[in-house]
Amino acid sequence: MNNDNALNANVGLKLRGLRLQRNIKQADAAKDLGVSPAYLNLIEKGKRVMPFPLLWKALRYFEQDPEQFMSTLGEGRVDEALAKLLDEPLLKSLDIDSESLQSLSAEPKLAGTVAALFNLYKNTRTQLENVLAQLNVEERTRTQGSPSGNGLGNTPGVRFDYSPFDEVSDFLEKHRNYFPELEEQAEGLRRDFRLEQQITSSQLTRMLEERFDYRVQIERATSGSSVVRRLDLDARTLTLSPDLTEQPLKFQIAASIGLMVMDREKLVERILGAGRMRHGETERLIKVNLANYFAGALMLPYSEFFKEVQRTRYDVELLSNVFGTTYETVAHRICNLSDPKRQGLPFHFLRADIAGNISKRYSGTGIRFASGGGSCAKWAVHLAFLNPSQITRQYSIMPDGTTYFCFAKVQLQPIEGSIVKGTAYSIGLGTHAENAKYLAYGLPTNDLRKDAIPSGISCRFCERTDCNQRAAASYRFAFAFDEYTKKDCFFSPLLVHEKEKAERNGQHEGVDSDPDGSEKHDSLDRGVRRRKGHEN
């Protein structure tokens, strides 16, 4: 039956294409073929079977060879301009398939219009991104050079690169990443189901079925899809991937319960209040973050977790074993301890990949992160990849003198034994340097200024003039260099006194004068002269 429908649709589309190629109106073609315009319209749309006598008559009318026409019915030719769009990310996200494009190909003018509009959209989007990037650079350069600049990247004025993810980060920081409404709901569920300290996925599944009347099913996603969790509100089912191991499985079920609780209690509306978001996507992103927060609160109850944190002195690895969850989940939860009655140390959180891309961030310490790409290569979260099996620890000092103690660990999740197919993230936590003594991972120091690693926010906005790891010139300095003077990093700015000395050397052709009038050769040449003296 499906094959017949496909054949009818193909015949109708091809006949419609032949008619449009000849600029024949549908009413005129219907009159010449001896049928009503409505009937021909249904045939062209594939909604009516075309009798063979009428098909032969139509082929003679359009001057088509019947044998050749019938041989092309299975080809499904797609307009070339439209076919190129199949590889575009936007069309992939809209799930536009070749059959849909084939239907559109029967409308040549419409097909050309769609392709032209899409290409216009791409070009306009690219131009807009370039303009915004330039405006952002100019705005940051202007504001960071003014007295109001604070040296940490949180400049006043309009931020042209302010994304929904930046807005979510600001929202979490505003609330100090603590939401008592979610804590109460999670604690109530734990109490009702008498959950112990370490919970299992089967207990969470029972909670889902008994409290929310949802059915859990394990099912592999369709080929080419990486979906691991799907909550179907209409069918009241939670579908989970069979590839999920126990720890991530628990988290996904707990996050799903969080979504149901928030919908039932209208918690998102209560938490957001009357405030308006700058981006339309922000509210949904906040809901995702709150669902994940609820999952952490359900699996790591505040009171018990706080006690264990104090007992273990923030030993993230040990805490993950105590509560049977991942290192990353514990690291997230440590950043939630802002209850005024049971307050933990302030932490900032980072998750980065081996290329240095930061996919998660939260500042509970006041440290600022670059809103664009890139961050400081001196940070522990990046250096952790050098020793993935160990905790990387260090003191860091920012250009304004603020000091932090940071530690990071790499979390690997291979697929089929391959890290390349799977994921590799570094999970970093940091707090003010004076808090290091309260941590199990804390490093001893007698001279913090000496032991701390000079760091920054990102190369583009860093004030440091002598960083040997610079990957780009800073917008804070005029990029100046001298071909005869080499610093240890090409992107480090040539300072005034360095530049003046280089210019003097150029004026005197590499010779300076001592105060007594005697000539002194440039220091860069002394070693060469000494070697020549020994040779002579």
Side-chain angles (χ1 to χ4, degrees):
M1 187 66 182
N2 290 335
N3 291 336
D4 292 340
N5 291 338
L7 180 61
N8 294 335
N10 213 355
V11 169
L13 287 174
K14 287 187 175 295
L15 290 176
R16 180 178 177 82
L18 292 172
R19 178 176 62 77
L20 293 175
Q21 287 174 10
R22 290 159 175 74
N23 293 319
I24 301 174
K25 295 182 179 179
Q26 192 175 68
D28 294 337
K31 181 179 179 181
D32 294 338
L33 293 174
V35 296
S36 69
Y39 183 60
L40 180 58
N41 184 50
L42 291 173
I43 288 176
E44 288 186 351
K45 290 182 177 180
K47 295 182 178 180
R48 288 290 185 275
V49 177
M50 191 170 195
F52 278 109
L54 181 59
L55 176 59
W56 304 139
K57 185 176 181 179
L59 292 177
R60 287 196 302 273
Y61 178 70
F62 293 124
E63 299 178 346
Q64 290 291 302
D65 177 72
E67 185 176 348
Q68 183 180 1
F69 178 85
M70 298 302 290
S71 66
T72 61
L73 284 181
E75 290 181 0
R77 189 184 71 83
V78 177
D79 180 85
E80 184 177 354
L82 290 176
K84 291 180 179 179
L85 301 185
L86 277 176
D87 293 328
E88 294 289 346
L90 176 61
L91 265 71
K92 286 183 177 180
S93 67
L94 296 176
D95 198 24
I96 303 294
D97 55 24
S98 57
E99 290 184 7
S100 301
L101 290 184
Q102 183 184 339
S103 301
L104 193 57
S105 297
E107 304 279 358
K109 292 183 179 179
L110 183 58
T113 301
V114 169
L117 286 174
F118 187 84
N119 289 325
L120 179 63
Y121 155 78
K122 279 205 311 178
N123 293 335
T124 305
R125 179 65 181 267
T126 301
Q127 292 171 4
L128 178 61
E129 289 175 351
N130 291 336
V131 169
L132 289 178
Q134 183 61 33
L135 287 173
N136 178 56
V137 169
E138 293 176 0
E139 178 70 10
R140 285 183 177 275
T141 303
R142 182 180 66 79
T143 55
Q144 290 184 348
S146 68
S148 60
N150 60 10
L152 294 178
N154 54 340
T155 60
V158 179
R159 283 182 56 188
F160 295 102
D161 60 344
Y162 192 63
S163 73
F165 299 98
D166 295 321
E167 193 168 20
V168 171
S169 295
D170 290 343
F171 168 81
L172 295 177
E173 290 171 23
K174 176 184 176 183
H175 288 266
R176 300 182 64 203
N177 207 12
Y178 175 65
F179 300 95
E181 303 95 330
L182 298 178
E183 299 285 353
E184 292 171 10
Q185 292 290 335
E187 186 59 38
L189 282 174
R190 288 188 64 91
R191 217 172 25 246
D192 293 346
F193 284 84
R194 298 179 181 178
L195 298 179
E196 297 179 354
Q197 187 177 74
Q198 193 169 128
I199 61 179
T200 64
S201 59
S202 59
Q203 290 174 315
L204 292 173
T205 299
R206 181 170 64 88
M207 181 187 299
L208 197 66
E209 294 172 344
E210 295 180 6
R211 178 59 58 92
F212 300 96
D213 193 28
Y214 267 71
R215 181 170 54 88
V216 177
Q217 60 185 24
I218 305 297
E219 185 179 295
R220 191 173 298 279
T222 56
S223 178
S225 172
S226 58
V227 173
V228 296
R229 181 196 77 200
R230 180 177 284 108
L231 194 62
D232 191 327
L233 302 181
D234 295 325
R236 302 187 71 81
T237 58
L238 173 62
T239 304
L240 297 161
S241 169
D243 295 328
L244 290 172
T245 55
E246 176 65 7
Q247 291 182 347
L249 178 64
K250 288 192 296 186
F251 188 87
Q252 293 304 327
I253 300 175
S256 301
I257 293 174
L259 290 170
M260 296 176 197
V261 169
M262 286 190 292
D263 288 342
R264 184 186 63 189
E265 304 295 332
K266 300 189 181 303
L267 290 179
V268 177
E269 294 82 351
R270 283 162 51 186
I271 292 172
L272 290 178
R276 294 188 62 184
M277 297 297 166
R278 181 170 170 180
H279 297 280
E281 306 93 334
T282 302
E283 187 171 330
R284 283 192 171 186
L285 287 173
I286 287 176
K287 187 174 182 179
V288 170
N289 276 269
L290 294 180
N292 292 340
Y293 182 103
F294 181 90
L298 189 60
M299 298 167 63
L300 308 167
Y302 197 108
S303 180
E304 295 178 41
F305 184 72
F306 183 77
K307 290 178 182 177
E308 289 298 319
V309 163
Q310 298 295 308
R311 182 184 69 83
T312 63
R313 301 177 67 233
Y314 293 86
D315 189 331
V316 183
E317 288 183 303
L318 181 55
L319 288 166
S320 66
N321 290 326
V322 169
F323 288 93
T325 188
T326 64
Y327 185 98
E328 181 177 353
T329 300
V330 171
H332 272 291
R333 190 61 171 151
I334 282 176
C335 296
N336 300 147
L337 302 180
S338 296
D339 182 350
K341 297 179 181 178
R342 298 165 295 177
Q343 194 164 356
L345 297 175
F347 279 91
H348 56 258
F349 173 96
L350 286 168
R351 188 182 76 173
D353 62 24
I354 199 167
N357 302 303
I358 295 176
S359 52
K360 287 184 182 179
R361 65 178 189 230
Y362 167 73
S363 176
T365 60
I367 191 172
R368 306 312 301 170
F369 303 118
S371 56
S375 56
C376 183
K378 298 287 188 179
W379 287 356
V381 72
H382 303 308
L383 298 173
F385 284 103
L386 298 176
N387 297 289
S389 61
Q390 302 176 17
I391 299 284
T392 296
R393 306 173 292 166
Q394 70 179 52
Y395 288 98
S396 301
I397 183 168
M398 307 303 287
D400 67 346
T402 307
T403 52
Y404 296 99
F405 175 74
C406 307
F407 59 93
K409 187 178 189 304
V410 173
Q411 186 170 273
L412 305 176
Q413 189 172 348
I415 293 179
E416 298 176 0
S418 170
I419 294 299
V420 178
K421 291 182 179 180
T423 57
Y425 289 114
S426 176
I427 310 300
L429 285 170
T431 186
H432 298 290
E434 59 267 24
N435 294 328
K437 59 180 176 288
Y438 302 116
L439 307 179
Y441 303 144
L443 290 172
T445 176
N446 295 321
D447 187 345
L448 181 58
R449 297 282 166 172
K450 179 181 177 182
D451 295 336
I453 305 299
S455 306
I457 298 301
S458 71
C459 291
R460 288 295 188 186
F461 304 106
C462 186
E463 300 176 7
R464 300 201 177 280
T465 60
D466 289 301
C467 177
N468 55 12
Q469 191 73 46
R470 271 197 173 280
S474 174
Y475 293 128
R476 291 181 175 275
F477 304 100
F479 183 59
F481 66 95
D482 178 79
E483 62 267 38
Y484 301 109
T485 306
K486 176 67 171 70
K487 299 194 74 169
D488 62 353
C489 179
F490 175 77
F491 294 108
S492 289
L494 192 64
L495 304 183
V496 174
H497 69 277
E498 296 170 330
K499 188 176 181 181
E500 287 176 347
K501 186 173 182 178
E503 290 174 349
R504 282 201 310 272
N505 292 341
Q507 291 171 359
H508 297 284
E509 297 180 345
V511 177
D512 286 340
S513 295
D514 278 334
D516 60 359
S518 61
E519 292 185 337
K520 178 181 69 175
H521 287 267
D522 182 77
S523 60
L524 293 175
D525 296 326
R526 282 188 204 137
V528 177
R529 278 202 332 279
R530 279 196 295 268
R531 286 195 299 273
K532 286 184 177 179
H534 286 300
E535 291 172 1
N536 294 334

